[in-house]
């Protein structure tokens, strides 16, 4: 039933969609998000690094991955794999609660730079990718660009009709 809601949001309402997949479950969770739910973004997606064909699918369709390398599941290695496979991913802090290490974006950046040898350009690219994958209205994106970034990845810019993050429960009522 949830999968139907995502397809409806994508195909009928022309909304961009995101779902958490592959963090607690296996690669099939990510594959379902891509092939059945037709999502634009995947929260986490760490299990995908175990399946080369899934990594290829993520890359081919330029699906954005929301990486939280300092999270409680030690997802640092998966974040490194996203970079080495040239996937579209951004860096995030996950939940700021103490359960999730109570981290900051500066701490995440420092972590990937020290543990994964990300360069400043790698970190900047991840932030540009996240910005480009945002579902925010155009005005908010322009403001963010003027105040933070000099350029933006444009391989997959959301359509104007897709400026809403999908809340599956609301769509399925």
């Amino acid at each position: 039933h949830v999968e139907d809601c995502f397809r409806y949001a994508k195909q009928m309402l022309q909304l961009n969609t995101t779902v958490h997949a592959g963090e607690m479950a296996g690669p099939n969770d990510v594959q379902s998000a891509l092939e059945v739910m037709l999502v634009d973004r995947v929260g986490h997606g760490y299990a995908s690094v175990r399946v080369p064909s899934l990594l290829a699918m993520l890359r081919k369709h330029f699906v954005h991955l929301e990486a939280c390398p300092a999270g409680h599941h030690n997802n640092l290695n998966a974040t490194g794999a996203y970079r080495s496979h040239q996937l579209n991913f951004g860096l995030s802090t996950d939940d700021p609660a103490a359960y999730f290490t109570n981290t900051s974006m500066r701490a995440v950046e420092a972590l990937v730079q020290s543990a994964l040898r990300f360069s400043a350009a790698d970190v900047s690219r991840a932030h540009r990718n996240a910005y480009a994958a945002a579902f925010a209205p155009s005005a908010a994106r322009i403001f963010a660009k003027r105040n933070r970034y000099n350029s933006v990845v444009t391989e997959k810019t959301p359509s104007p009709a897709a400026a809403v993050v999908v809340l599956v429960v609301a769509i399925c009522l």
Side-chain angles (χ1 to χ4, degrees):
H1 182 69
V2 170
E3 293 87 354
D4 294 336
C5 293
F6 273 91
R7 278 196 311 275
Y8 179 81
K10 186 63 162 169
Q11 294 173 333
M12 303 305 292
L13 301 178
Q14 297 181 355
L15 296 175
N16 281 343
T17 55
T18 185
V19 66
H20 278 215
E23 180 180 23
M24 304 291 207
N28 290 342
D29 199 31
V30 179
Q31 188 166 351
S32 174
L34 299 174
E35 293 180 344
V36 180
M37 295 184 209
L38 309 175
V39 299
D40 299 288
R41 288 191 328 220
V42 173
H44 305 293
Y46 307 119
S48 64
V49 302
R50 299 189 308 233
V51 181
S53 62
L54 192 50
L55 291 172
M57 184 185 308
L58 286 162
R59 185 170 179 200
K60 177 182 177 185
H61 296 291
F62 206 66
V63 173
H64 184 76
L65 294 155
E66 301 161 1
C68 305
H72 69 291
H73 296 289
N74 190 18
N75 299 313
L76 192 59
N77 291 336
T79 303
Y82 295 165
R83 180 187 60 172
S84 66
H85 288 278
Q86 300 176 334
L87 299 182
N88 174 14
F89 73 95
L91 298 173
S92 300
T93 60
D94 212 343
D95 191 314
Y99 182 73
F100 292 105
T101 68
N102 199 25
T103 194
S104 68
M105 185 53 71
R106 285 183 197 257
V108 167
E109 291 169 352
L111 175 65
V112 297
Q113 287 176 322
S114 66
L116 300 175
R117 301 190 187 277
F118 272 40
S119 66
D122 292 328
V123 171
S124 181
R125 184 178 310 107
H127 289 317
R128 285 193 315 271
N129 286 346
Y131 167 79
F135 299 160
S138 297
R141 292 164 56 85
I142 290 167
F143 178 80
K145 183 176 179 182
R146 285 183 185 154
N147 288 289
R148 174 81 178 177
Y149 307 111
N150 295 325
S151 62
V152 64
V153 175
T154 58
E155 284 90 340
K156 188 173 182 184
T157 302
S159 68
V164 177
V165 174
V166 174
L167 297 174
V168 176
V169 174
I171 290 171
C172 293
L173 292 179

